[in-house]
Amino acid sequence: MSQIDHDKYRKLLKIQQNNALLKTSQAVLGWDQEVMMPKGGIEWRARQLGFLAGLAHERSTTPEIGKLLQECEQDQTLTSAPRSVHGTNLRMWRREYDKATKLPVSLVKEIAETRSLAQSAWSEAKDKSDFSIFLPFLEKNLELSKREAECYGAPEGGELWDALADNYEPGANAKEISEIFGPLRDRLAALIQEVQEKGSAPDTSFLDVAVPISRQDKFGRLVLESMGYDFNHGRLDESSHPFTQSFSPADVRITTRYQETNFLDALGSTMHEGGHALYEQGLPMETAGTPASEAISLGIHESQSRLWENMVGRSRSFWQWSTPLVHDILGSGLTPYDSEAFYRGSNRVQASLIRVEADETTYNLHIMIRFELELRLFRGTLEAKDLPCAWNKLYQSLLGVKVPNDAKGCLQDIHWALGIFGYFPTYTLGNLYAAQFFAKAEEDLGCMDDAFAKGQFKTLLAWLREKIHRQGSRFFPGELCEQVTGRKLSSDAFFSYLEKKVRETHGI
Ligand code: ZN
């Protein structure tokens, strides 16, 4: 009998595949809510989603899964090849099952209730720029998240925060992240200071040119097709917050948003989500509905979006290819600008207050500030009430900007209101993975500038498919990085890529 014909495994596989059908059906309703649903449908939709969420939780925590997992794990023929499809599935199913069953139902309920209250308090606090409204909820969210982390348990040699980070980035821990972020933080701060003192700011006046949305949409679709996004297995729509939603590798949808001016905003969002979608479309269809065909982490996911958005979309060669198309499709308002102008303007460095509006260089400092503060809150070396003061100090010292009020300071992000801790670093980890992968791709394939300048991105995509997308969840992020690049993750590739570009575009 072959390993995969194993009875117990087949039974478990069937249960898990059905659960995946249920969860991806939920996702269809979620996508519809963001993109298509009329406003008045919200109450019924909330009931539909609530019902399905309860069903999904019940089905994924049934003791039958635990029993079958245990039986499969005792079978040497199933566990002897940990990177095989069944080895990967058993390992990841075990993780999911343990996480889902370790939290007592009473805590899950308390968390859900508190988070919904915290979210509305945060929203009011942000509107009024009054931190005191949010403070009691932040304290409660922290307490609940610590209890949640205690249920999972800190990894050996690690700390509580790690248990939460592991939900988003399997195997991640504060110690290793700090070791990677530390040197990068100093180098970035120095580079930004140099830009402020000696750099000449690129002209970004093309961002004021109005471009009809239908033209931006046409251009975005052309770029997506050139990247290799498959419209037979996807679609592009508009929503207020751009996102990617996959139901299976055969149906991966993205959204973007448009404004009349600043065509770069929509282009950046479209390429970013396009990068996420290429990862999802590249996962193996033959194992769809199991971890062998699932993205491994948020950091690796973000590496794919950032690679296309920044390493491709803000490169000189990309603009050499796309500038004639920009002139042709986006209209005569942009014809005075050549490819160099777009290249320089799209890479402008400017320290600012708001993370989601930050450029590629300053962005990571916004993340590091949040990471540091979160750790201090978790370790008990910072009290929640002192958060605004600590926040403002770090913005002043690292980015050189003065925070005028808490709405533009520590109340700007929704994450802590939703009780999401351990998440922020995945954004920067994504940037670092992206650069390390890209450097390795160039090592393997040679310089891709000439191909990019002709709008040819297929070789790069084929490389990403083989090395990253097809791997699904076979490797944890750190292992995947070593497997693909031969090295542990560091910030070296990212910093040298960025420094070269910043110096070129700012004349320093
Ligand atoms: Zn993203």
Side-chain angles (χ1 to χ4, degrees):
M1 189 193 278
S2 84
Q3 290 168 343
I4 354 210
D5 283 339
H6 192 285
D7 261 3
K8 303 276 187 223
Y9 179 80
R10 263 203 327 228
K11 210 168 165 189
L12 181 58
L13 178 66
K14 190 75 201 158
I15 294 174
Q16 298 286 19
Q17 279 176 330
N18 283 339
N19 288 348
L21 291 175
L22 181 59
K23 282 180 193 154
T24 50
S25 303
Q26 267 177 276
V28 178
L29 294 181
W31 176 87
D32 177 80
Q33 182 178 322
E34 296 298 317
V35 179
M36 303 293 285
M37 191 189 76
K39 267 195 189 139
I42 187 67
E43 270 180 45
W44 191 256
R45 180 54 44 87
R47 284 177 64 183
Q48 291 174 311
L49 286 172
F51 172 72
L52 290 177
L55 200 59
H57 180 74
E58 202 179 295
R59 290 183 56 108
S60 58
T61 52
T62 162
E64 195 187 359
I65 293 182
K67 189 167 159 276
L68 286 167
L69 268 174
Q70 210 174 21
E71 285 167 349
C72 290
E73 284 162 353
Q74 281 162 2
D75 187 332
Q76 281 274 317
T77 57
L78 283 168
T79 51
S80 58
R83 307 291 178 201
S84 64
V85 169
H86 48 273
T88 300
N89 286 342
L90 286 174
R91 185 173 59 252
M92 298 307 283
W93 284 333
R94 165 58 71 193
R95 255 178 72 84
E96 280 166 26
Y97 184 75
D98 283 352
K99 277 186 193 283
T101 51
K102 270 182 182 169
L103 299 184
V105 178
S106 58
L107 180 60
V108 174
K109 267 197 168 163
E110 201 181 345
I111 286 174
E113 282 163 16
T114 310
R115 283 179 191 173
S116 126
L117 294 173
Q119 198 186 334
S120 65
W122 166 78
S123 183
E124 189 193 340
K126 194 181 170 192
D127 283 347
K128 297 184 178 160
S129 194
D130 183 352
F131 180 73
S132 70
I133 299 172
F134 180 52
L135 178 60
F137 295 91
L138 177 62
E139 284 169 340
K140 186 74 188 162
N141 269 353
L142 269 168
E143 184 216 314
L144 289 171
S145 292
K146 282 181 194 169
R147 274 165 56 195
E148 183 186 344
E150 275 159 10
C151 292
Y152 298 139
E156 221 184 292
E159 58 189 290
L160 267 190
W161 183 90
D162 301 345
L164 297 178
D166 182 76
N167 284 337
Y168 311 109
E169 202 63 16
N173 62 73
K175 184 171 174 283
E176 280 178 19
I177 295 175
S178 303
E179 282 165 12
I180 295 170
F181 282 10
L184 177 62
R185 172 178 153 152
D186 297 340
R187 290 162 99 181
L188 282 175
L191 180 63
I192 292 164
Q193 200 183 354
E194 200 182 335
V195 167
Q196 283 164 348
E197 285 166 5
K198 297 186 211 151
S200 51
D203 172 23
T204 52
S205 59
F206 57 78
L207 297 178
D208 301 329
V209 175
V211 179
I213 284 165
S214 59
R215 287 171 181 249
Q216 294 191 47
D217 182 71
K218 186 178 173 194
F219 181 62
R221 284 171 194 275
L222 190 147
V223 171
L224 282 174
E225 263 171 11
S226 306
M227 286 163 59
Y229 177 72
D230 182 354
F231 276 95
N232 280 325
H233 294 288
R235 50 181 290 136
L236 171 67
D237 294 276
E238 264 188 84
S239 68
S240 49
H241 300 285
F243 69 96
T244 300
Q245 180 65 64
S246 168
F247 307 129
S248 82
D251 188 351
V252 184
R253 306 177 187 189
I254 59 178
T255 69
T256 191
R257 61 160 175 232
Y258 300 104
Q259 353 172 6
E260 286 275 343
T261 55
N262 193 356
F263 79 96
L264 277 189
D265 184 53
L267 178 65
S269 295
T270 303
M271 292 187 77
H272 181 97
E273 299 308 327
H276 280 304
L278 288 175
Y279 186 10
E280 292 286 340
Q281 286 187 337
L283 290 164
M285 188 61 207
E286 60 276 17
T287 47
T290 74
S293 177
E294 269 165 26
I296 182 60
S297 76
L298 290 186
I300 298 296
H301 230 304
E302 202 63 7
S303 79
Q304 300 306 290
S305 57
R306 301 286 175 143
L307 187 145
W308 287 98
E309 177 192 0
N310 292 329
M311 271 140 226
V312 175
R314 292 178 206 276
S315 68
R316 174 179 270 136
S317 49
F318 172 84
W319 287 110
Q320 285 167 344
W321 163 66
S322 64
T323 297
L325 298 163
V326 166
H327 293 163
D328 197 36
I329 298 172
L330 296 183
S332 56
L334 292 167
T335 45
Y337 301 94
D338 62 11
S339 62
E340 278 302 297
F342 290 130
Y343 170 55
R344 284 196 302 270
S346 63
N347 285 296
R348 181 169 179 180
V349 178
Q350 197 169 28
S352 64
L353 289 164
I354 308 294
R355 173 183 65 88
V356 294
E357 292 165 10
D359 59 73
E360 200 184 347
T361 307
T362 57
Y363 187 87
N364 298 293
L365 291 177
H366 291 264
I367 297 303
M368 291 174 194
I369 289 171
R370 286 153 180 77
F371 171 62
E372 180 178 328
L373 294 172
E374 222 180 86
L375 273 187
R376 282 162 60 185
L377 287 167
F378 257 78
R379 290 171 178 169
T381 54
L382 174 69
E383 284 186 54
K385 70 174 171 51
D386 299 325
L387 178 67
C389 179
W391 180 285
N392 298 352
K393 260 191 199 158
L394 280 172
Y395 265 79
Q396 182 72 60
S397 68
L398 281 176
L399 284 157
V401 293
K402 199 169 158 41
V403 180
N405 57 54
D406 291 336
K408 290 190 166 145
C410 67
L411 289 173
Q412 66 181 270
D413 296 307
I414 197 172
H415 302 60
W416 293 338
L418 296 174
I420 297 176
F421 297 96
Y423 186 109
F424 277 121
T426 65
Y427 294 115
T428 287
L429 290 173
N431 287 328
L432 307 187
Y433 282 128
Q436 199 159 320
F437 290 149
F438 195 77
K440 179 63 180 167
E442 287 204 305
E443 209 179 297
D444 288 357
L445 305 167
C447 175
M448 289 174 278
D449 286 350
D450 288 348
F452 288 3
K454 292 183 200 136
Q456 292 164 0
F457 307 104
K458 289 207 168 64
T459 326
L460 173 62
L461 178 59
W463 188 91
L464 294 170
R465 284 267 143 93
E466 181 204 331
K467 306 282 181 184
I468 296 155
H469 305 173
R470 297 279 307 165
Q471 303 304 324
S473 289
R474 284 174 68 203
F475 301 93
F476 272 13
E479 297 166 340
L480 181 69
C481 180
E482 280 198 71
Q483 168 82 13
V484 173
T485 69
R487 291 181 206 100
K488 273 185 175 298
L489 180 68
S490 86
S491 62
D492 291 346
F494 177 74
F495 191 76
S496 40
Y497 144 81
L498 192 69
E499 186 184 26
K500 179 171 178 278
K501 200 160 70 159
V502 168
R503 291 193 181 283
E504 253 176 41
T505 51
H506 290 74
I508 47 174

